[in-house]
Amino acid sequence: MSPPINPAPADLPLSRLPNFDPREVPVLGVDAHLPPVSAQALQPQALRARFRAPPDWQPELWTERRFADRAPARAAVLVPIVVRERPMVLLTERTTHLSTHSGQVAFPGGKRDDTDTDEAHTALREAQEEIGLAPELVEVVGQLPTYTTGSQFIITPVVGLVDPWHRLTLNAFEVADAFEVPLEFLMNPAHHRRHAIEVGGVRREWISMPYREGEVERFVWGATAAMLRNFYRFLAA
């Protein structure tokens, strides 16, 4: 485990630690001993069938250490699976000036509005606002259990199949980039790395799933990686 960062409060979010870079925290282990989800199980028809008749399973990761003294708020993200010959997960990179999770890899999504009818409505609306993904090009196939962030957002991941002919228009204020990662890569625990650091006497743990795209490393970690890990548990159960 990395050396402790004792001067920082235990409830400070990792992203706000001075000079903190999750890429530099040593890897404690890689879960290569766990079986990958088969390519056949990642195809659209198999995903539809899995959500229609879900297995008996439990999420591995439920919540982060709380660091915000605020009332919990409902939110939803879209887990957009682009239906290509090799299914791909569409992810975003947040702009660096945002107050929360700046520069991080994330699913499109956000806080639920009073006018939203359900979690799927929230996820689709936010995806359209953030990356210009038209809701009619997304087939919602199901939802995963909620994940609660340290900022007290109770997030529902909404899984949707995306038409490969979609076109994106990024909201430049919120989104710096959008890119695709093979679902097969993310559903293989050989790419799931475990990290830990001690902050203010408290051990903080997380998973990363770095994906290299040419010269660019897409560093998936934190809440996004946690929800993907739960998706893996759902498909592998």
Side-chain angles (χ1 to χ4, degrees):
M1 187 172 70
S2 291
I5 303 178
N6 292 317
D11 57 356
L12 189 71
L14 291 175
S15 59
R16 294 184 183 176
L17 290 175
N19 303 315
F20 174 77
D21 185 347
R23 296 171 179 83
E24 296 180 356
V25 177
V27 176
L28 299 182
V30 179
D31 287 344
H33 62 285
L34 295 174
V37 178
S38 70
Q40 183 178 357
L42 302 177
Q43 293 301 312
Q45 193 56 39
L47 294 173
R48 294 186 188 101
R50 173 58 58 127
F51 278 102
R52 281 197 302 267
D56 183 15
W57 76 291
Q58 288 292 324
E60 180 178 341
L61 304 168
W62 285 95
T63 186
E64 299 172 356
R65 182 178 178 85
R66 180 171 181 163
F67 57 77
D69 189 19
R70 51 172 288 179
R74 291 281 174 178
V77 296
L78 182 65
V79 183
I81 300 173
V82 184
V83 182
R84 305 195 189 282
E85 183 175 354
R86 187 186 190 191
M88 307 289 285
V89 178
L90 178 60
L91 292 166
T92 71
E93 181 184 320
R94 293 167 62 84
T95 52
T96 56
H97 64 81
L98 294 176
S99 59
T100 59
H101 308 296
S102 65
Q104 293 187 19
V105 171
F107 294 118
K111 186 178 179 181
R112 180 169 178 170
D113 285 351
D114 293 338
T115 54
D116 292 340
T117 56
D118 54 21
E119 288 80 4
H121 188 167
T122 301
L124 293 172
R125 174 183 56 75
E126 286 282 342
Q128 185 171 33
E129 292 175 4
E130 290 184 10
I131 59 175
L133 180 60
E136 60 269 21
L137 298 182
V138 183
E139 175 195 349
V140 173
V141 294
Q143 299 179 3
L144 296 170
T146 61
Y147 179 82
T148 303
T149 67
S151 54
Q152 291 302 285
F153 281 105
I154 303 172
I155 302 175
T156 298
V158 177
V159 180
L161 302 177
V162 179
D163 189 316
W165 298 103
H166 69 275
R167 294 291 182 269
L168 301 181
T169 303
L170 305 186
N171 179 336
F173 180 79
E174 295 186 44
V175 180
D177 195 10
F179 57 94
E180 296 181 9
V181 177
L183 179 60
E184 188 175 8
F185 176 92
L186 296 169
M187 295 297 102
N188 184 349
H191 304 132
H192 298 183
R193 313 188 314 177
R194 296 186 175 274
H195 307 259
I197 197 170
E198 189 175 299
V199 180
V202 174
R203 181 183 172 92
R204 310 280 285 276
E205 301 180 4
W206 69 92
I207 289 175
S208 73
M209 305 171 185
Y211 175 70
R212 184 158 292 279
E213 187 179 38
E215 296 300 314
V216 179
E217 183 185 65
R218 308 292 192 176
F219 197 79
V220 185
W221 76 293
T224 303
M227 288 183 276
L228 284 168
R229 177 70 171 207
N230 287 342
F231 193 22
Y232 163 75
R233 290 296 190 186
F234 171 72
L235 294 179

